[in-house]
């Protein structure tokens, strides 16, 4: 007898990562549901994404994080809940956690983290509680006894690499490049579709139950100096390197 596939609900499916998560879920043949606000259908960009998902077989459920009834109804239809709301909405997951607790039966909750580990990241008090909010959601999930998996994928390449990690630029520099510190600290740069595929695979993997999972593919690990070398080889030109110390960088951030 063929084993039933895990039913997955994506919250935030019209966003950049949420859309990739929904696609990855469908590609893996999971019955896929998306919680969608009414307002999303009147946004041309979001509406086109939802049309793609619907055509591919996703079930669109109208609801929002502010509507507890719609949350409970949606959660009761699935085995796994994956939230991909924007970082500024992280604390808005509290009603979703309450709905998961009320509905019962959810085998896994993957909260909206998808960055560096909030329990380990330190940014000199300049992150405006960005990581503290994510850590708060972790503690609530743990306290409620909800089965979970947290995905820490480090940096999204699409946010940082188009500018070669240069503040204020939208394209890589061709003359001068700022190097922070000595440029040898390593970072992990991930593509959204890869993060999504990994997340869907982890969603019902017993090895990831109640674990924090870090994505660190060796081919995705680069220092600033290495990224600059790649770009210089690409354009066939040496850039002037301007080294910015930690102290200078913190002054710049505080000044902004």
């Amino acid at each position: 007898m063929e084993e039933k596939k895990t039913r997955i609900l994506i919250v935030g499916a019209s966003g950049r990562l949420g859309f990739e998560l929904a696609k990855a879920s469908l590609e893996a043949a999971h019955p896929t549901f998306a919680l969608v606000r009414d307002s999303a259908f009147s946004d041309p960009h979001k509406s086109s994404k939802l049309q793609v998902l619907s055509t591919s077989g996703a079930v669109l459920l109208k609801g929002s994080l502010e509507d507890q009834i719609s949350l409970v109804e949606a959660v009761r239809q699935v085995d796994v809940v994956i939230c991909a709301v924007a970082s500024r909405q992280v604390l808005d997951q509290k009603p979703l956690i309450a709905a998961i607790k009320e509905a019962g039966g959810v085998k896994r909750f993957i909260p909206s983290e998808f960055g560096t580990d909030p329990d380990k990241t330190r940014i000199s008090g300049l992150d405006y509680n960005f990581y503290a909010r994510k850590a708060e959601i972790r503690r609530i999930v743990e306290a409620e006894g909800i089965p979970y998996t947290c995905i820490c994928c480090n940096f999204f390449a699409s946010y940082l690499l188009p500018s070669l990690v240069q503040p204020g630029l939208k394209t890589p520099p061709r003359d001068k490049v700022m190097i922070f510190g000595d440029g040898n600290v390593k970072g992990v740069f991930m593509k959204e579709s890869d993060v999504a595929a990994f997340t869907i695979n982890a969603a019902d993997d017993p090895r990831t139950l109640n674990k924090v999972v870090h994505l660190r593919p060796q081919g995705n690990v680069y220092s600033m100096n290495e990224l600059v070398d790649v770009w210089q080889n690409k354009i066939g030109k040496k850039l002037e390197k301007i080294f910015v110390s930690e102290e200078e960088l913190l002054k710049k951030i505080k000044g902004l």
Side-chain angles (χ1 to χ4, degrees), residues 214-234:
H214 293 259
L215 277 60
R216 294 194 190 105
Q218 285 304 303
N220 296 56
V221 180
Y222 281 86
S223 69
M224 190 69 206
N225 286 329
E226 289 168 336
L227 288 173
V228 171
D229 286 343
V230 170
W231 178 237
Q232 289 180 148
N233 290 334
K234 182 78 173 174

Side-chain angles (χ1 to χ4, degrees), residues 32-100:
T32 302
F33 300 77
L35 187 72
V36 183
R37 291 172 173 270
D38 273 328
S39 59
F41 294 98
S42 57
D43 181 311
H45 183 59
K46 292 181 178 180
S47 181
S48 65
K49 286 184 175 181
L50 296 174
Q51 182 61 48
V52 168
L53 295 179
S54 178
T55 302
S56 300
V59 178
L60 306 183
L61 303 174
K62 289 189 178 182
S64 75
L65 293 173
E66 292 82 32
D67 182 350
Q68 196 69 12
I69 294 175
S70 70
L71 284 178
V72 174
E73 288 178 350
V75 168
R76 281 183 172 150
Q77 298 183 54
V78 300
D79 308 299
V80 170
V81 177
I82 303 175
C83 190
V85 295
S87 297
R88 66 182 178 275
Q89 294 177 275
V90 162
L91 292 182
D92 292 345
Q93 293 177 102
K94 290 180 180 180
L96 178 59
I97 294 169
I100 291 171

Side-chain angles (χ1 to χ4, degrees), residues 108 138 148-151 206-214:
R108 196 80 60 95
R138 270 197 195 180
Y148 68 88
T149 298
C150 293
I151 305 293
R207 296 172 297 177
T208 64
L209 179 61
N210 296 334
K211 295 286 197 313
V212 178
V213 182
H214 293 259

Side-chain angles (χ1 to χ4, degrees), residues 7-250:
R7 298 166 299 167
I8 296 178
L9 171 67
I10 310 293
V11 179
S14 62
R16 182 182 296 195
L17 179 60
F19 181 59
E20 295 295 339
L21 285 163
K23 287 199 301 180
S25 179
L26 289 164
E27 287 166 7
H30 290 287
T32 302
F33 300 77
L35 187 72
V36 183
R37 291 172 173 270
D38 273 328
S39 59
F41 294 98
S42 57
D43 181 311
H45 183 59
K46 292 181 178 180
S47 181
S48 65
K49 286 184 175 181
L50 296 174
Q51 182 61 48
V52 168
L53 295 179
S54 178
T55 302
S56 300
V59 178
L60 306 183
L61 303 174
K62 289 189 178 182
S64 75
L65 293 173
E66 292 82 32
D67 182 350
Q68 196 69 12
I69 294 175
S70 70
L71 284 178
V72 174
E73 288 178 350
V75 168
R76 281 183 172 150
Q77 298 183 54
V78 300
D79 308 299
V80 170
V81 177
I82 303 175
C83 190
V85 295
S87 297
R88 66 182 178 275
Q89 294 177 275
V90 162
L91 292 182
D92 292 345
Q93 293 177 102
K94 290 180 180 180
L96 178 59
I97 294 169
I100 291 171
K101 188 74 174 178
E102 179 181 339
V106 170
K107 298 173 183 175
R108 196 80 60 95
F109 174 48
I110 299 180
S112 186
E113 286 197 11
F114 303 108
T116 53
D117 192 330
D119 284 343
K120 297 182 178 180
T121 304
R122 300 290 179 268
I123 309 193
S124 304
L126 298 173
D127 68 334
Y128 298 95
N129 295 319
F130 180 87
Y131 291 102
R133 292 193 294 270
K134 291 188 175 186
E136 181 181 343
I137 291 298
R138 270 197 195 180
R139 302 291 86 81
I140 294 172
V141 172
E142 292 167 349
E144 292 292 351
I146 294 170
Y148 68 88
T149 298
C150 293
I151 305 293
C152 296
C153 62
N154 297 287
F155 302 121
F156 285 120
S158 63
Y159 286 106
L160 295 172
L161 296 191
S163 68
L164 204 63
V165 201
Q166 301 297 293
L169 295 187
K170 293 184 178 180
T171 57
R174 288 184 172 266
D175 298 304
K176 300 177 181 179
V177 62
M178 284 193 290
I179 306 288
F180 306 109
D182 62 9
N184 293 324
V185 174
K186 302 277 188 175
V188 185
F189 301 89
M190 300 293 299
K191 191 176 179 181
E192 281 91 344
S193 57
D194 291 337
V195 174
F198 184 90
T199 301
I200 297 303
N201 285 333
D204 55 6
D205 188 329
R207 296 172 297 177
T208 64
L209 179 61
N210 296 334
K211 295 286 197 313
V212 178
V213 182
H214 293 259
L215 277 60
R216 294 194 190 105
Q218 285 304 303
N220 296 56
V221 180
Y222 281 86
S223 69
M224 190 69 206
N225 286 329
E226 289 168 336
L227 288 173
V228 171
D229 286 343
V230 170
W231 178 237
Q232 289 180 148
N233 290 334
K234 182 78 173 174
I235 63 175
K237 179 182 178 182
K238 288 285 185 182
L239 303 182
E240 179 187 346
K241 294 181 179 179
I242 302 170
F243 289 89
V244 180
S245 70
E246 180 180 345
E247 293 75 18
E248 290 177 288
L249 181 59
L250 288 174

